[in-house]
């Protein structure tokens, strides 16, 4: 193992321990009574000293053995002749291979142990232990463990981020054929983070990564060909890349229901961000628990659902989910009964798979007319779980549940007609039910709609529509979990870690991640990019988000061209983007900005009447615009009146035309301030 790898190992383990306290504070929001302890720093230092000493000793011994072996070999060759050379070489190679195999097997065992602990971990101590095992496995040459360590360095797991060390490790892994390393190097090259900004090289890395099996590289290439980013726009190539990823996601979704990930927008107002509806605040969670214990059935079911799939920032906890569902079911909740049936049907630690129990609870819920219970009974008959396969019964229950608007039942009906399971194939009906289910976000329904548009089955073929649908399915992949870790890193003040995670998701085509990355870059708080690169990169990301329909991003592009951030000042381009945002998205901010430009003739012909109209439209569109619009109109009318008076008494040569030279470029702000002072004075006198 190279000394570099050892150095990286040391950095990671130290990072795990030094930052454990900060990680505990963050994790406290997501735990109720689980109090964890820290891994002793002294223990880690002792362990590191042991590894260092062992590695030094191993190197010295190996060196001595090599010298001794060389001398013995030369002596034996002289004594026994050249014929013994092949035998000694074969024997030595055999011993080396055996030693290497034992070393590799031990590394695999450690990696598997670490993975298991990480999957089951609920405390930072357990996660730290998992990474300790990864470090040991990496020291033994385990490539998967080395990938874990490199990712930890790149994304700042446990607060230890070292981009330079991560790049060196990724480069070493790439030589070993690691597709994850190829993808990571492509991402870093595309942003110029720790590496030279080189889109051509990034494309090469992504191509090798996708060829090696990286789903993330496939998705990135799909987005690039869809949008024409440094490649010729090609819908069919994009379709091919997205379909491979969507097939992978759909296969996983058929085995287990996907967990939707909350995507928090950092562009929300600070007061909204601190109590964002996407993430459940710890105090609110405690209040909900109190209500649930007091017997609020609706809250019991809601908490059960949140713990069942691990939403709103809460950990997935089957025991808590079952606890709340049982309390609600005892009170007569049909939804709770249905969810208990679902838990027993799928099987988990709290509710082992049991078709009979699932049938019992589904039947109880269905007898109350519950759509989830009806759908559950349909699944049992469709797959023959605990009952004989009966497509007619399955169809009956699916139809009843679909009529009540349950999207999973609508999907199942579509699938029956699509595949001809128990019914005649009918692509028109299949499309109808898939479409209905897709409107509620049912992922498999979206996938099969994409399949139909991609192949022209039952509908007119449309590559663009198929790609957009496949893209929606691809964005449900496990990599979307980085939205949560990036958000919590941002809230904890770890800006660089948050930026790297959002930037990777942005590269994969997530619009929310693109706007979040641009927002972070705009603040210039990140340290992993040079200051002069931040505005140009932010403008690029705002532009990508705007193309995907983000109105706020469209206004931001106008701002960047207006003020000359990351590009040269261009009032005409700014006005164009403001117009798009105002006309297409009814953005009040864009209307206000455009009105100001019409008022002063910036980049467009001066038009006072159109300026008034746009100011009024901004006020009508958003209540928040009332006060700014009031002052803007006051200033406009005052200046218009003064201009009329002055033009009536004096010629056009009067110095009024040179106010910018006399009072400076911001004389209009001075006038607004004067008006405000006058209004305050009048209001005070009125009260007297």
């Amino acid at each position: 193992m190279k000394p570099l790898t050892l150095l990286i190992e040391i950095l990671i383990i130290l990072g795990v321990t030094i930052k454990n306290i900060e990680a505990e504070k963050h994790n406290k929001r997501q735990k109720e009574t689980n109090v964890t302890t820290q891994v002793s720093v002294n223990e880690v230092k002792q362990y590191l000293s042991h590894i260092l000493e062992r590695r030094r000793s191993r190197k010295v011994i190996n060196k001595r053995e090599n010298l001794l072996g060389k001398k013995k070999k030369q002596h034996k060759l002289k004594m026994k002749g050249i014929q013994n050379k092949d035998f000694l070489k074969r024997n030595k190679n055999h011993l080396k291979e055996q030693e290497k195999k034992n070393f590799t097997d031990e590394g695999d065992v450690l990696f598997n142990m670490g993975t298991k602990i990480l999957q089951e971990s609920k405390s930072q101590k357990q996660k730290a232990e998992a990474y300790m095992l990864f470090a040991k496995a990496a020291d033994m040459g385990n490539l998967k463990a080395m990938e874990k360590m490199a990712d930890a360095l790149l994304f700042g797991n446990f607060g230890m981020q070292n981009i330079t060390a991560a790049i060196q490790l990724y480069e070493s892994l790439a030589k070993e054929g690691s597709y994850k390393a190829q993808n990571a190097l492509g991402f870093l090259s595309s942003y110029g983070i720790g590496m030279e900004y080189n889109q051509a090289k990034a494309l090469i890395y992504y191509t090798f990564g996708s060829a090696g099996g990286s789903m993330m590289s496939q998705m990135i290439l799909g987005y690039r060909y869809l949008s024409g980013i440094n490649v010729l726009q090609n819908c069919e190539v994009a379709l091919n890349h997205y379909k491979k990823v969507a097939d992978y996601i759909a296969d996983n979704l058929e085995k287990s229901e996907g967990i939707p990930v909350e995507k928090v927008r950092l562009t929300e107002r600070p007061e909204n961000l601190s109590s964002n509806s996407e993430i459940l605040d710890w105090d609110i969670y405690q209040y909900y628990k109190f209500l649930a214990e007091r017997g609020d059935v609706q809250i019991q079911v809601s908490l059960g659902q949140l713990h069942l799939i691990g939403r709103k920032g809460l950990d997935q906890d089957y025991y808590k989910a079952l606890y709340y569902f049982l309390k609600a079911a005892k009170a007569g909740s049909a939804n709770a009964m249905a969810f208990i049936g679902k838990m027993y049907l799928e099987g988990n630690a709290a509710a082992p798979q049991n078709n009979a129990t699932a049938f019992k609870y589904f039947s109880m819920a269905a007898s109350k007319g519950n759509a989830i219970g009806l759908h559950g009974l349909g699944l049992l008959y469709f797959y023959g779980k605990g009952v004989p396969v009966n497509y007619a019964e399955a169809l009956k229950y699916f139809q009843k549940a679909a009529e009540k608007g349950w999207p999973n039942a609508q999907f199942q009906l579509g699938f029956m007609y699509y595949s001809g399971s128990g019914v005649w194939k009918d692509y028109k009906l299949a499309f109808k039910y898939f479409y209905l289910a897709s409107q509620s976000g049912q992922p498999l329904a979206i996938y099969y709609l994409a399949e139909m548009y991609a192949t022209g089955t039952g509908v007119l073929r449309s590559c663009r529509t198929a790609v957009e649908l496949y893209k929606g399915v691809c964005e449900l992949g496990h990599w979307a979990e980085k939205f949560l870790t990036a958000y919590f890193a941002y809230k904890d003040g770890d800006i660089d870690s948050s930026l790297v995670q959002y930037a990777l998701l942005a590269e994969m085509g997530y619009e929310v991640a693109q706007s979040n990355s641009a927002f972070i870059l705009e603040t210039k708080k990140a340290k992993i990019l040079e200051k002069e690169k931040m505005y140009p990169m932010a403008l690029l990301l705002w532009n990508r988000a705007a193309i995907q329909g983000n109105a706020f991003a469209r206004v931001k592009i106008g701002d960047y061209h207006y003020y000359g951030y990351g590009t040269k000042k261009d009032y005409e381009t700014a006005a164009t983007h403001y117009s798009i945002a105002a006309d297409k998205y009814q953005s009040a901010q864009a209307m206000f900005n455009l009105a100001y430009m019409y008022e002063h003739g910036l980049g467009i012909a001066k038009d006072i009447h159109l300026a008034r109209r746009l100011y009024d439209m901004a006020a009508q569109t958003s209540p928040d615009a009332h006060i700014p619009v009031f002052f803007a109109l006051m200033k406009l009318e005052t200046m218009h009146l003064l201009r009329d008076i002055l033009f009536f008494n004096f010629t056009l040569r009067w110095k009024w035309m040179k106010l910018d030279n006399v009072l400076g470029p911001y004389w209009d702000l001075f006038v607004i301030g004067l008006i405000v002072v006058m209004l305050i004075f009048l209001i005070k006198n009125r009260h007297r």
Side-chain angles (χ1 to χ4, degrees):
M1 185 61 59
K2 296 180 181 179
L4 174 63
T5 307
L6 179 61
L7 174 63
I8 291 168
E9 174 189 334
I10 295 168
L11 288 171
I12 281 296
I13 299 173
L14 285 174
V16 169
T17 56
I18 292 168
K19 294 295 181 178
N20 216 16
I21 295 173
E22 294 175 11
E24 284 293 335
K25 288 179 181 177
H26 155 60
N27 199 48
K28 188 177 179 182
R29 297 176 183 173
Q30 299 180 9
K31 293 189 285 287
E32 293 179 61
T33 57
N34 186 24
V35 180
T36 61
T37 56
Q38 254 186 286
V39 177
S40 171
V41 177
N42 291 330
E43 284 180 23
V44 177
K45 285 183 178 178
Q46 288 173 7
Y47 170 72
L48 288 173
S49 299
H50 172 69
I51 289 180
L52 283 168
E53 197 61 42
R54 183 165 57 87
R55 290 295 294 274
R56 288 195 196 101
S57 300
R58 190 189 302 163
K59 285 181 181 178
V60 172
I61 291 167
N62 286 343
K63 192 174 181 181
R64 288 178 179 173
E65 284 180 351
N66 287 338
L67 288 171
L68 186 62
K70 193 174 181 181
K71 287 179 180 179
K72 284 182 178 180
K73 184 177 178 182
Q74 289 173 353
H75 177 70
K76 286 181 180 180
L77 284 173
K78 287 178 182 178
M79 297 295 292
K80 296 183 179 180
I82 199 71
Q83 290 182 350
N84 292 332
K85 183 178 179 181
D86 290 339
F87 173 76
L88 289 169
K89 190 175 181 180
R90 283 197 302 270
N91 189 43
K92 189 176 180 180
N93 287 341
H94 174 71
L95 290 171
K96 280 185 177 179
E97 286 174 8
Q98 190 64 37
E99 184 182 356
K100 187 177 179 182
K101 184 178 183 301
N102 294 336
F103 207 57
T104 304
D105 290 344
E106 189 179 348
D108 290 341
V109 170
L110 289 170
F111 175 76
N112 292 332
M113 285 171 62
T115 303
K116 187 176 180 181
I117 291 171
L118 195 63
Q119 288 172 346
E120 297 174 354
S121 65
K122 291 185 179 179
S123 70
Q124 294 303 311
K125 181 184 176 182
Q126 290 175 316
K127 289 177 181 177
E129 287 173 358
Y131 273 90
M132 289 278 281
L133 291 171
F134 290 147
K136 291 178 184 178
D139 185 49
M140 294 178 176
N142 186 284
L143 290 179
K144 290 182 179 179
M146 290 168 71
E147 288 172 346
K148 283 279 187 184
M149 305 306 272
D151 288 346
L153 281 169
L154 176 61
F155 298 117
N157 294 1
F158 302 101
M160 187 61 197
Q161 190 174 41
N162 190 324
I163 303 293
T164 304
I167 290 169
Q168 291 174 334
L169 187 52
Y170 279 131
E171 286 175 342
S172 175
L173 285 164
K175 291 175 183 176
E176 299 291 334
S178 168
Y179 63 78
K180 289 184 179 180
Q182 298 280 3
N183 183 75
L185 290 171
F187 157 64
L188 293 167
S189 297
S190 69
Y191 281 89
I193 299 175
M195 299 178 70
E196 179 190 1
Y197 177 80
N198 192 324
Q199 291 292 341
K201 188 179 283 188
L203 190 62
I204 292 170
Y205 278 127
Y206 288 143
T207 303
F208 278 114
S210 65
S214 170
M215 291 294 109
M216 294 173 81
S217 291
Q218 291 279 9
M219 195 168 165
I220 290 169
L221 287 174
Y223 177 65
R224 288 194 165 218
Y225 279 103
L226 174 64
S227 306
I229 299 172
N230 299 110
V231 292
L232 289 174
Q233 197 169 16
N234 191 320
C235 183
E236 295 298 334
V237 176
L239 178 70
N240 182 48
H241 285 295
Y242 272 125
K243 178 172 169 50
K244 289 177 182 176
V245 185
D247 288 345
Y248 167 77
I249 300 295
D251 184 55
N252 290 335
L253 287 172
E254 285 174 352
K255 294 173 184 175
S256 62
E257 189 174 340
I259 299 173
V261 175
E262 287 73 20
K263 302 179 181 71
V264 180
R265 289 188 183 275
L266 300 183
T267 51
E268 292 283 341
R269 291 180 177 182
E271 60 268 24
N272 293 341
L273 189 60
S274 62
S275 58
N276 197 285
S277 61
E278 297 291 343
I279 305 295
L280 190 63
D281 187 79
W282 182 249
D283 294 330
I284 296 174
Y285 172 64
Q286 293 297 326
Y287 177 63
Y288 284 165
K289 277 181 63 181
F290 171 74
L291 292 177
E293 294 300 328
R294 290 287 297 271
D296 190 317
V297 176
Q298 189 174 352
I299 295 294
Q300 288 169 349
V301 175
S302 297
L303 284 177
Q305 287 179 270
L306 291 175
H307 282 297
L308 179 62
I309 58 177
R311 290 200 64 185
K312 299 288 184 183
L314 294 178
D315 287 330
Q316 189 177 46
D317 192 321
Y318 294 121
Y319 291 99
K320 288 179 182 176
L322 186 61
Y323 169 76
Y324 286 118
F325 285 145
L326 286 170
K327 285 179 76 73
K330 191 175 180 180
S333 170
N335 275 335
M337 296 171 189
F339 279 115
I340 294 171
K342 183 177 184 294
M343 290 183 73
Y344 278 104
L345 176 63
E346 295 173 354
N348 54 65
Q353 207 285 328
N354 191 312
N355 292 326
T357 307
F359 185 87
K360 170 190 167 184
Y361 280 102
F362 280 141
S363 299
M364 289 166 64
S367 66
K368 293 176 176 286
N370 182 268
I372 307 172
L374 291 165
H375 170 252
L377 287 176
L379 287 176
L380 292 174
Y381 281 109
F382 186 81
Y383 292 106
K385 293 193 173 184
V387 292
V389 173
N390 190 326
Y391 289 129
E393 282 293 296
L395 184 67
K396 180 182 76 174
Y397 284 118
F398 287 148
Q399 284 176 335
K400 286 181 179 179
E403 286 169 5
K404 293 178 180 292
W406 186 239
N408 288 353
Q410 292 167 344
F411 161 71
Q412 287 296 152
L413 279 176
F415 182 75
M416 289 184 78
Y417 285 110
Y418 181 82
S419 60
S421 302
V423 293
W424 292 104
K425 278 188 179 181
D426 190 329
Y427 292 126
K428 296 294 182 185
L429 276 176
F431 180 85
K432 170 191 169 184
Y433 285 115
F434 285 150
Y435 180 78
L436 284 172
S438 71
Q439 295 305 293
S440 300
Q442 216 287 344
L444 285 172
I446 297 170
Y447 170 76
Y448 278 101
L449 274 180
E451 290 279 280
M452 295 181 81
Y453 275 110
T455 57
T457 304
V459 291
L460 187 65
R461 188 180 187 275
S462 172
C463 178
R464 183 78 189 190
T465 305
V467 168
E468 292 292 348
L469 291 167
Y470 276 138
K471 182 175 182 288
V473 176
C474 294
E475 291 183 354
L476 296 171
H478 61 83
W479 38 79
E481 293 171 3
K482 289 194 182 298
F483 271 105
L484 277 181
T485 54
Y487 171 69
F488 285 125
Y490 179 81
K491 285 199 75 177
D492 291 341
D494 195 348
I495 303 299
D496 287 340
S497 174
S498 179
L499 176 58
V500 170
Q501 294 179 77
Y502 276 132
L504 176 60
L505 293 167
E507 186 76 351
M508 296 171 72
Y510 288 90
E511 178 270 310
V512 175
Q514 289 167 348
S515 60
N516 285 355
S517 299
F519 176 80
I520 293 173
L521 286 168
E522 190 178 83
T523 62
K524 290 196 171 183
K525 292 180 181 178
K527 298 174 184 176
I528 55 175
L529 272 179
E530 294 85 351
K531 296 287 184 185
E532 61 272 13
K533 290 182 180 179
M534 290 191 182
Y535 274 138
M537 185 60 69
L539 178 59
L540 177 71
L541 290 165
W542 284 128
N543 189 58
R544 291 181 184 178
I547 290 170
Q548 296 200 69
N550 187 319
F552 183 83
R554 184 65 68 181
V555 175
K556 275 290 182 182
I557 298 170
D559 291 344
Y560 274 52
H561 283 96
Y562 183 90
Y563 294 107
Y565 294 156
T567 183
K568 64 179 182 179
K569 279 189 179 181
D570 189 339
Y571 291 138
E572 288 185 17
T573 304
T576 300
H577 287 289
Y578 290 145
S579 297
I580 293 170
D583 297 339
K584 190 174 181 180
Y585 305 109
Q586 302 301 305
S587 167
Q589 182 66 62
M591 293 172 187
F592 186 92
N593 294 354
L594 200 57
Y596 184 86
M597 296 185 79
Y598 271 113
E599 180 186 349
H600 297 277
L602 300 172
I604 43 181
K606 191 171 183 178
D607 191 328
I608 299 298
H609 299 292
L610 190 52
R612 282 197 194 99
R613 181 165 172 255
L614 283 165
Y615 278 135
D616 289 336
M617 287 173 64
Q620 291 168 8
T621 303
S622 173
D624 293 339
H626 284 164
I627 294 175
V629 166
F630 171 75
F631 287 122
L633 285 172
M634 283 287 290
K635 192 243 343 178
L636 186 149
E637 297 300 341
T638 303
M639 299 311 299
H640 190 61
L641 179 63
L642 287 172
R643 190 194 63 179
D644 288 345
I645 294 170
L646 291 168
F647 270 93
F648 180 76
N649 291 294
F650 302 100
T651 64
L652 292 173
R653 297 176 188 175
W654 194 69
K655 290 184 179 179
W656 167 256
M657 300 298 294
K658 299 181 180 179
L659 274 176
D660 277 1
N661 296 329
V662 177
L663 300 177
Y666 301 108
W667 59 269
D668 53 344
L669 297 176
F670 172 76
V671 173
I672 290 174
L674 198 61
I675 292 169
V676 171
V677 171
M678 289 172 62
L679 283 170
I680 293 170
F681 178 75
L682 289 170
I683 291 168
K684 281 186 176 180
N685 286 338
R686 184 181 176 186
H687 284 301
R688 285 177 186 174

